[in-house]
Amino acid sequence: MKKFLFFITLIFMVNSAFSQNVKNEVEKRIKRKEMPAEAIQTLKTMPINLKKSKFYLEKNNKYISFEAKVKYKDHRYSIELNKKGELLDIEVVINLEEIPEEVRETIENYLESTYERHKIEKIQEHFIPANTQDAFDERKNIDKYELIVATKNKENKLEKIEILFNSNGKELETRKVIRRAYEFLLF
């Protein structure tokens, strides 16, 4: 009977761990020649310097994708593509001050009212494929904002979370970020 209860408890724990909304990604740096040819062709249509790009293979719970990371007009860009070379999204690292004031205030009010303590570690603008040119020109028509935030909960436990906000600052999704200290062992 004890073994049966242990087994049921273990199944419950594993199931609850996987049912939580968790961001569990692993990036591995790759060489340009390891990128799918279709992805390189798509990247060539963009106003970036491919020679200065860094390439990555990204794996998460759902899919495998490829990324090119490059600096363009004083901002760091991450261009994500699938194996077929289809653009998934473009992300641009920005500062809090670059978010329009009204949207920034909405986001800051959300963080203040939701978390006892927090620190924004990273902010990115997301652009969908339809707004590719907007991502490089005036960076307008933003699809959403992604924030990585370090928080301290009521039990005094530190957590890192990813929060997605729409272009008006409304919270869309919150996920716990799993960072592996042993990623170097995986590849």
Side-chain angles (χ1 to χ4, degrees):
M1 182 68 171
K2 286 182 182 179
K3 286 182 181 179
F4 178 75
L5 287 175
F6 174 77
F7 181 72
I8 295 297
T9 304
L10 183 63
I11 288 175
F12 177 74
M13 288 170 52
V14 169
N15 188 36
S16 67
F18 283 108
S19 65
Q20 294 176 358
N21 204 0
V22 174
K23 178 180 181 173
N24 190 3
E25 293 178 346
V26 177
E27 276 187 354
K28 176 189 173 195
R29 178 112 185 247
I30 60 174
K31 295 179 181 174
R32 179 180 170 161
K33 65 183 177 184
E34 296 175 87
M35 289 283 287
E38 297 86 353
I40 295 294
Q41 285 305 113
T42 301
L43 291 169
K44 284 181 178 179
T45 67
M46 298 179 189
I48 60 171
N49 185 344
L50 275 179
K51 291 180 181 174
K52 292 188 177 184
S53 296
K54 295 178 182 175
F55 303 101
Y56 296 86
L57 172 69
E58 182 179 295
K59 295 180 183 182
N60 71 21
N61 299 342
K62 298 177 184 175
Y63 61 88
I64 294 175
S65 64
F66 296 87
E67 282 188 334
K69 294 187 180 185
V70 65
K71 196 168 186 179
Y72 178 78
K73 291 187 177 179
D74 295 325
H75 282 86
R76 294 184 326 214
Y77 280 71
S78 175
I79 305 162
E80 187 173 10
L81 308 114
N82 65 17
K83 288 186 224 181
K84 296 177 185 176
E86 298 166 333
L87 181 64
L88 300 175
D89 72 11
I90 297 174
E91 299 171 341
V92 184
V93 177
I94 63 168
N95 297 317
L96 185 62
E97 297 76 31
E98 294 179 80
I99 298 175
E101 186 176 352
E102 187 176 307
V103 177
R104 182 175 63 235
E105 287 175 4
T106 303
I107 290 171
E108 288 174 327
N109 289 339
Y110 172 84
L111 293 172
E112 290 293 327
S113 65
T114 307
Y115 302 102
E116 204 167 292
R117 291 177 53 195
H118 68 277
K119 180 182 177 192
I120 299 172
E121 294 187 348
K122 184 177 184 182
I123 304 171
Q124 295 184 84
E125 297 170 328
H126 277 244
F127 295 88
I128 58 174
N131 295 334
T132 299
Q133 199 55 46
D134 292 337
F136 293 105
D137 289 342
E138 298 172 25
R139 290 195 357 259
K140 58 182 181 178
N141 296 319
I142 295 156
D143 180 47
K144 56 190 159 195
Y145 294 98
E146 174 186 308
L147 277 68
I148 301 296
V149 182
T151 64
K152 204 169 211 182
N153 63 20
K154 292 179 182 164
E155 292 84 39
N156 215 23
K157 183 179 175 189
L158 295 173
E159 287 187 319
K160 196 169 284 199
I161 57 173
E162 173 192 82
I163 309 172
L164 298 178
F165 294 93
N166 70 12
S167 59
N168 296 319
K170 182 181 182 291
E171 187 263 346
L172 299 171
E173 181 181 9
T174 299
R175 302 188 296 176
K176 184 177 178 182
V177 176
I178 302 294
R179 302 243 29 175
R180 296 185 193 166
Y182 56 89
E183 281 182 357
F184 64 94
L185 295 174
L186 298 176
F187 293 101

